Amino acid sequence: ELKVEQNPLFLSMQEGKNYTIYCNYSTTSDRLYWYRQDPGKSLESLFVLLSNGAVKQEGRLMASLDTKARLSTLHITAAVHDLSATYFCAVDTVGILTFGTGTRLQVTL
Amino acid sequence: EAQVTQNPRYLITVTGKKLTVTCSQNMNHEYMSWYRQDPGLGLRQIYYSMNVEVTDKGDVPEGYKVSRKEKRNFPLILESPSPNQTSLYFCASRRVGGTYEQYFGPGTRLTVT
């Protein structure tokens, strides 16, 4: 059974500082997704990582994938309040999507 | 506008009364999927479909049915809903191939009393 672990579960960030969220998974997978969810809203796609060594960046967020270590990271550069949300990673194996527990980010001044 | 739509958005029903939550996408995506989100349990996949007439179980299929008669629609059917199916449900779709980016619908909040 595929397990996907995210840590931390909660992250209180100071504006302007850098942080990293980790996503570990237990078996080989086809691809890895990162999503953002604001309270009461649906999921917004951030990144799709398709292969080992993949790195994608959008604004202050950068995601990377190491398939050998079964690890993906979501790096936040110079946090701003707009980034406050819950972030999920999800691993896709032959069409079955398994989500991590989610990391709730709160950015404070 | 490219989108995934779900109806209804909110539903309160009683135990045992059959219901259907519709999902439709206008992006000609082959892959569609249903998820439920529960506090403390996170997001879990119920069923998915790789194309018309092809459906497969996800992690939590018990108590649910799906059908995929047309490419754009993927309804979720609860034949005899029970209170433990009270949840927030999301439908999603993506292409098979290409970027694999998956688009989510707005969600359906279901309460079964």
Side-chain angles (χ1 to χ4, degrees):
Chain A
E1 179 191 343
L2 173 61
K3 291 191 189 308
V4 181
E5 292 182 351
Q6 264 181 259
N7 66 82
L9 297 183
F10 178 76
L11 188 53
S12 180
M13 306 188 293
Q14 287 186 319
E15 268 205 344
K17 295 202 171 176
N18 303 333
Y19 297 88
T20 301
I21 302 171
Y22 298 89
C23 175
N24 288 91
Y25 53 100
S26 60
T27 67
T28 55
S29 76
D30 296 323
R31 62 199 66 88
L32 189 138
Y33 297 85
W34 283 98
Y35 293 100
R36 167 183 171 141
Q37 187 179 36
D38 292 290
K41 302 287 188 183
S42 185
L43 281 82
E44 174 191 350
S45 177
L46 295 174
F47 302 108
V48 184
L49 303 170
L50 300 179
S51 59
N52 187 44
V55 177
K56 290 199 174 177
Q57 182 162 6
E58 180 75 34
R60 300 175 187 275
L61 301 178
M62 183 174 74
S64 65
L65 179 62
D66 181 343
T67 57
K68 293 189 172 82
R70 294 178 188 160
L71 171 68
S72 179
T73 60
L74 181 67
H75 187 72
I76 300 144
T77 301
V80 292
H81 187 260
D82 283 354
L83 293 178
S84 296
T86 299
Y87 293 80
F88 294 93
C89 64
V91 173
D92 188 339
T93 305
V94 205
I96 296 179
L97 205 63
T98 304
F99 283 83
T101 47
T103 297
R104 188 166 145 241
L105 261 56
Q106 185 174 325
V107 181
T108 56
L109 294 171
Chain B
E1 180 193 351
Q3 60 183 350
V4 179
T5 56
Q6 293 178 229
N7 282 293
R9 295 289 312 280
Y10 303 90
L11 179 60
I12 300 174
T13 190
V14 296
T15 299
K17 186 176 180 183
K18 182 179 178 180
L19 66 93
T20 299
V21 184
T22 64
C23 173
S24 184
Q25 50 94 5
N26 63 359
M27 296 167 278
N28 202 33
H29 287 167
E30 296 88 0
Y31 178 96
M32 297 185 75
S33 187
W34 276 102
Y35 306 89
R36 61 178 289 176
Q37 185 173 28
D38 302 287
L41 295 174
L43 282 144
R44 295 174 291 169
Q45 189 175 37
I46 303 170
Y47 270 97
Y48 66 100
S49 169
M50 297 292 269
N51 214 325
V52 176
E53 301 292 359
V54 180
T55 62
D56 273 299
K57 296 177 182 178
D59 287 331
V60 287
E62 296 79 18
Y64 304 95
K65 282 176 58 176
V66 291
S67 69
R68 188 90 183 273
K69 294 186 171 58
E70 305 165 282
K71 201 171 187 180
R72 63 182 293 128
N73 297 322
F74 191 44
L76 180 69
I77 303 154
L78 285 72
E79 296 263 358
S80 183
S82 62
N84 65 12
Q85 292 178 298
T86 293
S87 186
L88 178 59
Y89 292 86
F90 291 104
C91 178
S93 74
R94 63 166 171 82
R95 283 187 56 202
V96 173
T99 66
Y100 289 92
E101 186 170 358
Q102 187 162 206
Y103 297 84
F104 279 77
T108 295
R109 187 166 291 282
L110 172 66
T111 302
V112 183
T113 62

